[in-house]
Amino acid sequence: MKQAIHLAKPTVIFIMGVSGVGKSTIGALLAKQLEIPFFDADDYHSEANILKMSQGQPLTDHDRHDWLHALNTLAVAQLKTNSCIIACSALKASYRTILETTIAAATKWVFLHGSFQQIKERMQHRSHHFMTSDLLQSQFDTLEIPQNALSIDIHVSPEEMVAKIQENLPLKAQFGLIGLGVMGKSLCRNLAQKGVRISMYNRHVPEVEEDIAINFKKEFEELSSALPFDDLPAFVNSLKTPRKIMLMVNAGTAIDAVIENLLPFLSQGDSIIDGGNSNYKKTKERFEFLKSKGIHFIGAGVSGGEEGALKGPSIMPGGNAKAYQQVQPFLERIAAKDKNGVPCCSYVGNEGSGHFVKMIHNGIEYVEMQLLADVYTLLKAKGNTPDQIADILETWKSTKNSYLLEITCTILRKKEGDDWLVNKIMDTAGNKGTGNWAIIATAELGVPSTLIASALFARYASFYKAERVAANKQFNPQQHTAPKSSLEDLHKAYQFARIINHYQGFKLIQEASERFKWALNLSELARIWTNGCIIRSDYMIELATIFKTTHNLFAHQNTVQALKARKSAIQKVVAESVLHELPIPSISNAIHFFTGYTTANSSANLLQAQRDYFGAHTYQRKEDDTGQYYHTDWQQH
Ligand code: 6PG
């Protein structure tokens, strides 16, 4: 990625040193890279001075007086609009004092130095220069080595010298991040490790959040060139324009508050990226609002938790495609890579589509988690300890591994004292809202995402701990006898349910894509979910290929075969679970959905008749394909 370089604040850089040291070459090269003007002090000498020097006579301090003041005037004038570079020998401390009069705080000194012999040889190779090599000794004699300058040895190439100077300049940051919570901090470190110059901001809340950014910078070596702030205008000013600012703050009103505070300091064409789990409808509203202000808004789903954010998350950016191009190199750099080394970050679509697909990602995640919880319920009922359950699940990895399967094995093995930690954890599951929004979205779109509902409602039902305990006493379910279904059947049931989960998740995305005209690419979404994110799995890698040829998983022959081969197993497992009163909400929902989906003539005819009876809602008839609606007076004999 080409590094765009801008100085953090208007600065005059004086490149100083004896004649022949290479000030003009280095100054011009640096100026080109920083895109700022370059001035050679030699061009500001009076004719009298030039004549004197060409005659081999050293200039006196008096000779230099007007020249130094002219250069100071030039520097002061330049600073009003821009930074600049001035190459000037500035051999004495008193000369440098004149040069930086009134602008010392905005002045940076770079001292080029080499041996007398090395410089003499260089000068002898030069033509058309009024300074003869005889004057060199007097230059060395006059030189008072500066204490406050960046000292650069000229024995390396000009390019290396310029790179060294740049490393030491207060440069504008390329990318800003607001919100140094767990995810924000990890993303900062990830960006910095990839060589991105960042500015980091965390608000100041007395006695609660103080010096967060400054202290965080001190903790990690890779943040040595990162700029820490708790002052918003200073943070914004530290960024190169057009600015790229990523928000990693809590979804909801906090996002609007940050946007409101940022807006007065932003310029047209700047981009804000919301990397949190925001509601896609709010993202669309923010997108429109900021568009009216000339600011780009990218709603980016970011998955992978703390570790993913640090080592490489899966990123799902949505918004204006052109604006995305500005932030693309940064997001791609920090994203996980797929099996071919391609970033797991791809432009999703317009408006809130990035956050929409992240929401569905989370819905699929809820189900994948619940399916493993269902498996755990059954294996526990068979009398297995958590370690034994982990042993069984380990064997499943070789068929189709997944991140969630892996972490579940690790979790199950974790002990605290004599007991497994999992046994000590209260069985009430939390959530942060994305599953809830996914169910609202699927209901609004009219898509039966029954598995997400099953997993979400299983979490909600878990909340009623006290009522469940009371009901257990009241109804005394016979959950003590071991279900008979085999481990092989259980494995097949799990695989069957996973297929249904992915079918439903991608179906919901496809329907939304059509409804909102987002033109989402299912194969590409599956691809960016093959690494970095929570639902990464071997199956997702297969799906990235399958979705290249169809949008409908059930139309894919391998899927049809896989479901047929596992159907009787899931039927047995679910039937057994019912008989043994074992709750496996998502596995059972998978076969119930499938049974309904594969029923050509459903009971909905009766629903239509009922609707027509009490509400005259009308119905269509099987023998009439014109689409006409009928009403019957059901009570008339
Ligand atoms: C991810 C996760 C992450 C997080 C959510 C959902 O993709 O990295 O989905 O975003 O786990 O907060 O978690 P809840 O279970 O709390 O809803």
Side-chain angles (χ1 to χ4, degrees):
M1 185 174 69
K2 185 178 178 297
Q3 301 257 326
I5 301 157
H6 281 241
L7 288 162
K9 57 182 175 73
T11 309
V12 177
I13 304 168
F14 281 106
I15 312 275
M16 59 156 294
V18 297
S19 181
V21 81
K23 300 184 291 290
S24 305
T25 309
I26 300 303
L29 203 57
L30 183 61
K32 196 169 165 208
Q33 295 210 2
L34 297 177
E35 296 171 3
I36 55 176
F38 168 68
F39 303 97
D40 193 330
D42 283 349
D43 298 340
Y44 289 76
H45 272 297
S46 64
E47 280 185 12
N49 280 357
I50 293 173
L51 183 65
K52 218 171 160 183
M53 287 188 287
S54 62
Q55 287 167 354
Q57 299 171 38
L59 297 180
T60 63
D61 286 359
H62 181 261
D63 294 332
R64 286 193 171 93
H65 182 269
D66 288 352
W67 173 65
L68 292 168
H69 278 283
L71 290 168
N72 172 253
T73 307
L74 168 73
V76 172
Q78 278 297 314
L79 262 187
K80 290 197 176 118
T81 54
N82 202 346
S83 300
C84 71
I85 295 177
I86 301 177
C88 175
S89 49
L91 299 179
K92 286 190 182 178
S94 57
Y95 301 167
R96 298 192 284 273
T97 306
I98 298 175
L99 287 170
E100 64 177 23
T101 306
T102 72
I103 53 168
T107 301
K108 177 94 189 162
W109 291 96
V110 177
F111 172 45
L112 305 187
H113 61 90
S115 70
F116 182 86
Q117 193 55 33
Q118 190 180 14
I119 297 170
K120 190 174 166 198
E121 276 166 23
R122 281 193 182 195
M123 293 192 68
Q124 281 165 347
H125 285 106
R126 277 202 211 171
S127 55
H128 313 302
H129 196 278
F130 52 74
M131 170 75 75
T132 65
S133 63
D134 295 344
L135 284 178
L136 188 57
Q137 188 54 53
S138 80
Q139 293 250 317
F140 267 87
D141 294 344
T142 313
L143 175 65
E144 292 167 12
I145 293 175
Q147 300 306 310
N148 58 347
L150 170 66
S151 205
I152 301 284
D153 193 322
I154 62 164
H155 77 279
V156 296
S157 71
E159 288 71 24
E160 284 172 281
M161 289 162 67
V162 166
K164 180 126 182 76
I165 297 170
Q166 273 180 24
E167 271 171 31
N168 285 280
L169 288 175
L171 299 177
K172 286 231 179 205
Q174 299 163 286
F175 198 90
L177 199 137
I178 294 183
L180 299 178
V182 173
M183 291 291 283
K185 281 183 171 172
S186 295
L187 284 177
C188 281
R189 290 183 60 200
N190 187 345
L191 282 155
Q193 283 167 8
K194 303 284 161 36
V196 179
R197 226 173 18 259
I198 53 166
S199 285
M200 320 179 290
Y201 169 87
N202 197 86
R203 64 185 177 175
H204 175 90
V205 183
E207 287 173 34
V208 186
E209 291 177 53
E210 290 186 352
D211 296 330
I212 302 285
I214 290 178
N215 291 334
F216 172 50
K217 176 185 159 83
K218 284 184 202 149
E219 262 181 81
F220 298 98
E221 174 70 31
E222 65 263 39
L223 298 175
S224 58
S225 58
L227 307 171
F229 296 93
D230 61 7
D231 174 75
L232 204 56
F235 163 79
V236 174
N237 279 330
S238 76
L239 293 165
K240 180 188 170 301
T241 53
R243 300 180 184 88
K244 294 131 197 113
I245 301 174
M246 187 155 188
L247 314 184
M248 291 306 293
V249 299
N250 288 338
T253 49
I255 299 276
D256 295 310
V258 175
I259 291 175
E260 197 184 310
N261 292 340
L262 264 178
L263 258 180
F265 309 106
L266 297 181
S267 323
Q268 298 256 326
D270 288 351
S271 294
I272 299 176
I273 307 159
D274 173 10
N277 274 327
S278 288
N279 187 305
Y280 77 101
K281 290 185 179 174
K282 294 299 292 180
T283 299
K284 181 173 169 10
E285 278 172 32
R286 291 169 186 141
F287 171 86
E288 300 294 352
F289 168 69
L290 286 167
K291 192 167 150 190
S292 73
K293 309 271 175 202
I295 307 292
H296 304 300
F297 188 63
I298 313 275
V302 177
S303 175
E306 184 181 0
E307 196 191 346
L310 180 61
K311 296 186 181 160
S314 169
I315 308 179
M316 300 143 245
N320 178 287
K322 271 234 166 80
Y324 172 64
Q325 286 172 6
Q326 286 182 13
V327 302
Q328 182 177 4
F330 299 96
L331 298 186
E332 287 190 347
R333 245 180 172 198
I334 57 169
K337 305 291 175 289
D338 71 10
K339 64 180 172 42
N340 299 317
V342 181
C344 291
C345 171
S346 193
Y347 173 68
V348 172
N350 212 5
E351 303 169 341
S353 59
H355 278 141
F356 184 91
V357 298
K358 175 58 171 47
M359 174 180 80
I360 308 309
H361 165 286
N362 282 22
I364 296 172
E365 170 187 302
Y366 277 38
V367 179
E368 292 290 289
M369 293 165 73
Q370 186 61 46
L371 290 177
L372 284 161
D374 288 0
V375 165
Y376 164 73
T377 296
L378 293 173
L379 289 175
K380 204 164 65 156
K382 276 176 172 293
N384 294 293
T385 65
D387 258 326
Q388 287 165 332
I389 297 174
D391 289 342
I392 294 165
L393 296 188
E394 294 281 353
T395 66
W396 293 8
K397 288 185 186 173
S398 58
T399 324
K400 271 193 178 78
N401 202 359
S402 73
Y403 168 75
L404 284 168
L405 180 62
E406 272 183 10
I407 66 161
T408 303
C409 291
T410 310
I411 289 166
L412 288 168
R413 293 195 191 286
K414 182 88 176 164
K415 279 197 152 180
E416 202 182 71
D418 291 340
D419 198 3
W420 287 270
L421 178 55
V422 71
N423 288 344
K424 299 184 178 188
I425 296 177
M426 176 63 83
D427 54 335
T428 50
N431 76 89
K432 293 215 188 72
T434 45
N436 164 7
W437 297 337
I439 287 307
I440 293 172
T442 200
E444 284 176 352
L445 287 162
V447 183
S449 304
T450 60
L451 272 175
I452 303 179
S454 74
L456 176 73
F457 296 155
R459 290 193 189 191
Y460 288 177
S462 76
F463 273 155
Y464 293 101
K465 176 71 178 174
E467 286 183 37
R468 284 194 288 119
V469 171
N472 182 272
K473 284 205 184 96
Q474 178 78 40
F475 295 101
N476 192 24
Q478 297 305 300
Q479 298 169 322
H480 317 295
T481 53
K484 285 192 280 295
S485 42
S486 67
L487 288 183
E488 194 192 340
D489 279 348
L490 181 53
H491 189 193
K492 283 183 179 167
Y494 169 67
Q495 291 173 324
F496 184 102
R498 287 193 68 211
I499 297 173
I500 305 293
N501 179 27
H502 287 80
Y503 160 77
Q504 288 191 351
F506 281 94
K507 170 82 175 160
L508 177 51
I509 292 173
Q510 177 59 20
E511 294 278 354
S513 174
E514 282 165 26
R515 178 75 63 88
F516 302 130
K517 302 198 172 21
W518 282 337
L520 304 181
N521 181 336
L522 298 192
S523 166
E524 185 60 3
L525 284 177
R527 188 193 67 73
I528 65 173
W529 289 345
T530 59
N531 202 5
C533 70
I534 304 296
I535 60 171
R536 62 185 185 260
S537 69
D538 291 342
Y539 186 40
M540 198 61 84
I541 297 175
E542 280 176 36
L543 290 176
T545 307
I546 292 174
F547 284 127
K548 280 187 180 160
T549 53
T550 179
H551 284 153
N552 182 3
L553 254 191
F554 285 167
H556 184 257
Q557 273 317 301
N558 289 357
T559 308
V560 171
Q561 293 313 322
L563 289 171
K564 278 185 175 168
R566 290 164 179 80
K567 190 171 87 173
S568 67
I570 192 170
Q571 286 168 337
K572 273 187 263 171
V573 167
V574 172
E576 280 281 314
S577 80
V578 174
L579 293 173
H580 287 82
E581 305 191 67
L582 295 167
I584 51 166
S586 288
I587 291 182
S588 24
N589 189 276
I591 187 63
H592 289 314
F593 169 79
F594 184 81
T595 308
Y597 185 82
T598 52
T599 298
N601 285 305
S602 76
S603 56
N605 51 346
L606 181 60
L607 302 179
Q608 285 298 77
Q610 290 163 336
R611 292 177 70 240
D612 190 53
Y613 184 106
F614 60 69
H617 292 303
T618 72
Y619 56 87
Q620 290 173 296
R621 298 180 71 96
K622 286 179 179 169
E623 79 275 5
D624 181 354
D625 59 7
T626 64
Q628 194 185 325
Y629 282 86
Y630 296 84
H631 171 60
T632 296
D633 183 352
W634 295 89
Q635 299 194 62
Q636 196 182 39
H637 296 292

